[in-house]
Amino acid sequence: MWASIEHAIEQVTNQPFSIKHKQPATGGDINLCYWISNYHQNFFVKLNDKSHLEHFESEAYALEQINQSQQITCPEVITYGVTLDKAFLVLSYIPFETPEAKDWYHLGQQLAYMHKRATHGQFGWQHDNYIGDTLQPNHWQSNWRTFFAEQRIAWQLQLLHEKSIKLGNIDHITQVCHDALLHHQVTPCLVHGDLWQGNMGFYHHKPVIFDPACYYGDREVDVAMTELFGQLPDDFYLGYHDTYPLPNNYEQRKLIYNFYHVLNHANLFGGIYIDQSKAVLSRILSLH
């Protein structure tokens, strides 16, 4: 397997590469991850079953789109492919460092610049992709509230329903979420799509984001998710708001946007996330 990965790296870099150092690395719950090196070149490798290749192709495409926006740094895609029994994705290796307050401010700024400048005419993405290990539909849609209600909320509710986890009438919940976004005007922009603290880091005071689930959507979905598992440092939000202030009533929409991620966690992990989904749904229904 590793010989195939060495060869794939050589094909792209046009330099000989032989692994002299290999070390397991943290990389989420889905993939096996490694830092590999020949003492001159360093790479980050993700491994999974061969059937996972489409996930890696989607991730590579999203990373390339973020890099092309030239607003915020993310790992460079080196190569991806399959061995006899594994799919792999090779990225540039970035040794993260402890950030300072100003680094969080710059992250907020740079995310805001990406949202402001990487825009599109419709909501969606060039293909369906993945949020964690869950398929994420991205069919082009001109109406944001329809896109989010149907391709985010209704989709997750249906997946739960197929596991015999029923939170209520899917059509009714979808309609409530749709109506909550009724008067919100949105310009489609490139969003990371899975922006929690575990998917960001810093190197030489430069912010880096990774593990994206990109699409063109409402920029508020990224800001909202940074608050889902505990807020980031205040400097991040100050940097964002100084650059691209959020419109009124964001707090109400944040609940709808993060409902999607709570539902996805319920689908992926079950347990307490099912209870959390019910609790968030009760809040949504009480407000609308």
Side-chain angles (χ1 to χ4, degrees):
M1 176 185 73
W2 290 106
S4 297
I5 293 172
E6 288 172 334
H7 179 69
I9 292 171
E10 289 177 342
Q11 291 290 102
V12 173
T13 62
N14 292 317
Q15 298 179 43
F17 182 80
S18 177
I19 298 172
K20 304 299 184 184
H21 177 82
K22 180 168 85 267
Q23 179 178 315
T26 56
D29 301 312
I30 298 170
N31 305 298
L32 292 175
C33 299
Y34 293 88
W35 164 36
I36 62 172
S37 172
N38 65 356
Y39 303 129
H40 302 290
Q41 300 164 287
N42 297 277
F43 301 103
F44 185 81
V45 180
K46 293 186 176 187
L47 296 173
N48 211 311
D49 294 336
K50 203 169 183 177
S51 60
H52 206 81
L53 178 62
E54 188 177 334
H55 292 65
F56 288 153
E57 290 173 336
S58 294
E59 181 177 348
Y61 181 79
L63 289 169
E64 288 165 349
Q65 295 305 302
I66 293 173
N67 270 327
Q68 285 178 22
S69 77
Q70 298 183 325
Q71 303 303 325
I72 190 167
T73 299
C74 68
E76 178 188 354
V77 177
I78 306 301
T79 187
Y80 55 84
V82 293
T83 67
L84 284 176
D85 63 342
K86 297 290 185 184
F88 64 86
L89 172 64
V90 182
L91 305 173
S92 58
Y93 175 71
I94 303 173
F96 294 129
E97 301 165 347
T98 302
E100 299 177 5
K102 65 179 181 180
D103 301 333
W104 287 106
Y105 186 90
H106 291 153
L107 173 59
Q109 276 188 318
Q110 292 178 13
L111 180 68
Y113 282 131
M114 184 181 84
H115 288 162
K116 199 170 189 177
R117 296 172 180 173
T119 58
H120 196 274
Q122 288 191 301
F123 303 100
W125 197 235
Q126 286 79 351
H127 52 258
D128 294 345
N129 54 14
Y130 297 87
I131 177 77
D133 220 16
T134 307
L135 184 69
Q136 179 172 258
N138 292 309
H139 309 301
W140 293 112
Q141 171 62 251
S142 58
N143 185 301
W144 168 245
R145 57 186 178 271
T146 300
F147 175 89
F148 193 82
E150 294 182 357
Q151 297 192 55
R152 295 295 179 260
I153 302 301
W155 172 255
Q156 291 284 348
L157 290 169
Q158 182 60 39
L159 292 177
L160 284 171
H161 184 84
E162 290 170 5
K163 297 173 182 174
S164 299
I165 302 168
K166 302 174 184 178
L167 301 187
N169 183 281
I170 293 177
D171 291 340
H172 175 66
I173 297 169
T174 302
Q175 189 64 46
V176 168
C177 293
H178 174 279
D179 293 348
L181 305 173
L182 198 57
H183 303 294
H184 180 44
Q185 301 301 312
V186 182
T187 299
C189 72
L190 178 63
V191 299
H192 176 281
D194 196 9
L195 195 64
W196 67 290
Q197 191 161 353
N199 288 344
M200 56 185 74
F202 300 87
Y203 177 62
H204 287 181
H205 303 292
K206 181 181 290 187
V208 182
I209 58 176
F210 48 93
D211 288 354
C214 287
Y215 59 99
Y216 290 98
D218 182 1
R219 63 194 178 103
E220 291 183 355
V221 301
D222 277 349
V223 181
M225 194 178 185
T226 68
E227 302 185 58
L228 180 57
F229 302 116
Q231 288 197 333
L232 301 182
D234 290 343
D235 291 279
F236 166 81
Y237 301 100
L238 184 61
Y240 191 94
H241 293 302
D242 283 353
T243 307
Y244 197 9
L246 294 173
N248 294 332
N249 300 318
Y250 157 75
E251 291 295 327
Q252 286 74 34
R253 293 186 294 272
K254 176 176 71 176
L255 190 63
I256 303 292
Y257 292 155
N258 282 342
F259 185 40
Y260 172 60
H261 295 292
V262 175
L263 289 172
N264 186 51
H265 277 68
N267 266 304
L268 289 173
F269 308 114
I272 61 171
Y273 294 109
I274 297 172
D275 295 332
Q276 188 178 357
S277 297
K278 292 175 180 177
V280 173
L281 178 58
S282 294
R283 289 183 61 195
I284 291 171
L285 294 177
S286 69
L287 292 173
H288 302 282

